[in-house]
Amino acid sequence: MCRNARILLVISGLFTFSMGLSNIFISVFFWRQTNDFVVIALYNLIINIITPIVFVFSGLLSKKKNGIWPLRIGLVIYALFYSLILYAGNKGVIYIYALGVINGIASGFYWLSFNVLSFNFTNLNNRDTFNGFNGCFTGIASIVGPISAAFIISRFKGMIGYRVVFGLSFAIFIIIAFISVVFKADIYHEKLDFKKALLSNSEEWGIVRKSTFSWGLRDSVMLFIVNILAIQILKSELNLGKFAFIAAIIASASYVLVQKIIKPGHRKISIIIGTSGMCISILILALNISFETLLIYAIIDAFCMPFFIIQLSSATFNVIDTNHDGNKRIEYMINRDIVLNGGRAISTGILIILLLVFKNMSILKVYLIFLSTVPLVAGYFLRKLKAVE
């Protein structure tokens, strides 16, 4: 891999560590103040809506300059996000929806740039390796981050521990922004092709869109559902940190395993393992939400998810390569994120409607059963790609 790819892996690892420190505890932080599932879901819905909109602006900037500028902007806005949480303190819930907008803006700038740079700095021969190492490094960061944050939060009374954790995240994002200065990239001076950014573009890319949309239905909504269920059952942030620690160790090991054993000819098998395991794990949780089922879910899901995610990530870039549309990579990344966050927003919106209509948390079990089928649908579409044969 080239020097830029290695730097990007470092940035990705630090980014994941910072998010690992704070991200799983943000929902808990707001939950402690509101005890309202709908409020947390609305916060996430705002992020899902804002992110793809900002992707377009990020794409315009990337075309005019290069993919590194949106990365830096995203990192600075993430730092601003955590500084505002620090400023708001115990009154953070008053500004929760404004914070959701800021988080969505940061996410839009950062993730478009990261995806584009990942494409720029890799090729068909080393893309699986890059994704495997990225999964491993981010897995290690995910191991250290949550358990460290949980220990810090548990050492202080009230919300003081949260302020320390959010302060650390703020500092790390500032450091990453400085690291990004060492990137070298050409200025594009190109115009954004809105047709490529918004339409399907080809049969193969249409399949990628369907798989990505299906994955989006399950993706972020499961994260905040599980975090809140876990804090209700485990009763403390330290126990939640231990819970995340176990899952992160397994996920990191799984990323290494996938990189070692899954070769191009075995990609469809990898997809089947990943999607089947994720389906089973959610079904187990839906049948009876308890400490035991949460632990089983975490173990199976953490082990199986990399088998699917690595194939989806690599196939996305490989289709762009095989379409000989590498010069339109920014448009493709915008296109991909619109359907990904579209799936996330629809899924979160459905959850909010169900909670408002039924006014009973038991509806979560029904929704979890629905979500258990989503990985199978995403895998069904992904297996149809020539890129995974």
Side-chain angles (χ1 to χ4, degrees):
M1 287 184 292
C2 67
R3 174 176 176 269
N4 277 342
R6 293 193 294 270
I7 295 171
L8 189 61
L9 286 174
V10 172
I11 287 176
S12 178
L14 288 173
F15 176 89
T16 306
F17 175 67
S18 181
M19 295 298 278
L21 275 173
S22 300
N23 210 35
I24 70 169
F25 293 104
I26 287 177
S27 293
V28 177
F29 177 71
F30 291 135
W31 174 262
R32 292 290 195 197
Q33 298 181 47
T34 65
N35 203 36
D36 190 334
F37 219 118
V38 173
V39 171
I40 310 302
L42 281 169
Y43 165 77
N44 283 274
L45 178 61
I46 289 170
I47 295 173
N48 299 153
I49 293 172
I50 295 296
T51 299
I53 295 172
V54 175
F55 251 63
V56 176
F57 291 101
S58 180
L60 288 167
L61 178 59
S62 296
K63 283 287 191 176
K64 186 68 176 178
K65 295 291 185 178
N66 58 49
I68 295 169
W69 279 96
L71 184 85
R72 293 170 182 157
I73 292 172
L75 292 169
V76 171
I77 296 176
Y78 268 122
L80 173 64
F81 171 78
Y82 284 106
S83 68
L84 290 175
I85 289 183
L86 285 170
Y87 172 77
N90 294 344
K91 298 179 180 179
V93 71
I94 298 174
Y95 310 103
I96 184 171
Y97 301 132
L99 289 168
V101 171
I102 295 169
N103 195 322
I105 294 171
S107 180
F109 277 111
Y110 176 84
W111 283 112
L112 174 88
S113 182
F114 181 82
N115 291 334
V116 170
L117 294 177
S118 296
F119 180 92
N120 289 351
F121 301 154
T122 60
N123 54 51
L124 286 169
N125 296 322
N126 63 21
R127 196 155 287 144
D128 282 349
T129 300
F130 175 87
N131 287 330
F133 275 118
N134 185 50
C136 178
F137 292 160
T138 56
I140 293 171
S142 297
I143 291 170
V144 179
I147 192 65
S148 300
F151 178 77
I152 292 170
I153 292 171
S154 67
R155 298 290 293 177
F156 295 92
K157 293 181 179 180
M159 295 293 179
I160 297 175
Y162 281 99
R163 295 174 71 88
V164 173
V165 167
F166 295 151
L168 287 172
S169 288
F170 166 77
I172 292 169
F173 277 117
I174 294 296
I175 292 169
I176 303 173
F178 278 110
I179 292 175
S180 70
V181 174
V182 305
F183 275 128
K184 302 295 181 183
D186 296 329
I187 304 296
Y188 299 146
H189 291 306
E190 298 173 353
K191 291 184 178 180
L192 187 70
D193 186 339
F194 283 94
K195 184 177 179 180
K196 285 283 186 184
L198 300 176
L199 301 181
S200 181
N201 302 323
S202 71
E203 182 180 353
E204 289 278 281
W205 186 252
I207 295 172
V208 170
R209 281 162 53 97
K210 291 173 184 175
S211 182
T212 302
F213 174 81
S214 301
W215 174 248
L217 290 171
R218 182 252 188 228
D219 183 27
S220 65
V221 72
M222 274 303 298
L223 183 62
F224 73 80
I225 284 177
V226 169
N227 284 341
I228 293 176
L229 290 176
I231 199 66
Q232 287 179 313
I233 293 170
L234 301 174
K235 304 301 183 184
S236 77
E237 284 80 0
L238 183 58
N239 288 334
L240 177 58
K242 292 175 182 177
F243 180 78
F245 177 77
I246 293 170
I249 288 178
I250 295 170
S252 183
S254 182
Y255 271 107
V256 175
L257 180 65
V258 173
Q259 181 194 350
K260 294 292 184 183
I261 68 173
I262 301 298
K263 304 306 177 184
H266 300 140
R267 285 172 176 164
K268 286 190 176 181
I269 296 174
S270 179
I271 293 168
I272 292 171
I273 293 171
T275 54
S276 299
M278 288 188 285
C279 172
I280 292 169
S281 68
I282 299 174
L283 278 176
I284 291 171
L285 182 61
L287 293 174
N288 180 34
I289 299 173
S290 65
F291 171 78
E292 290 76 16
T293 55
L294 269 173
L295 184 60
I296 293 170
Y297 162 81
I299 292 171
I300 297 176
D301 188 75
F303 177 78
C304 292
M305 189 182 294
F307 283 85
F308 171 78
I309 289 297
I310 287 179
Q311 304 313 321
L312 178 60
S313 299
S314 296
T316 299
F317 293 149
N318 291 345
V319 168
I320 300 173
D321 270 334
T322 54
N323 285 347
H324 305 291
D325 261 346
N327 63 320
K328 299 294 183 181
R329 55 201 172 277
I330 292 173
E331 285 85 348
Y332 274 97
M333 291 302 103
I334 293 171
N335 193 300
R336 171 186 175 274
D337 198 75
I338 287 173
V339 295
L340 174 65
N341 277 283
R344 290 170 173 171
I346 289 172
S347 182
T348 307
I350 292 171
L351 176 61
I352 292 170
I353 292 170
L354 289 174
L355 291 171
L356 290 174
V357 171
F358 291 94
K359 302 183 186 300
N360 192 324
M361 291 297 289
S362 63
I363 194 66
L364 274 180
K365 292 186 177 182
V366 177
Y367 197 60
L368 286 171
I369 293 172
F370 162 72
L371 291 178
S372 71
T373 66
V374 170
L376 299 178
V377 176
Y380 166 77
F381 288 118
L382 192 59
R383 291 198 306 274
K384 294 172 69 174
L385 280 176
K386 293 178 181 178
V388 300
E389 292 179 350

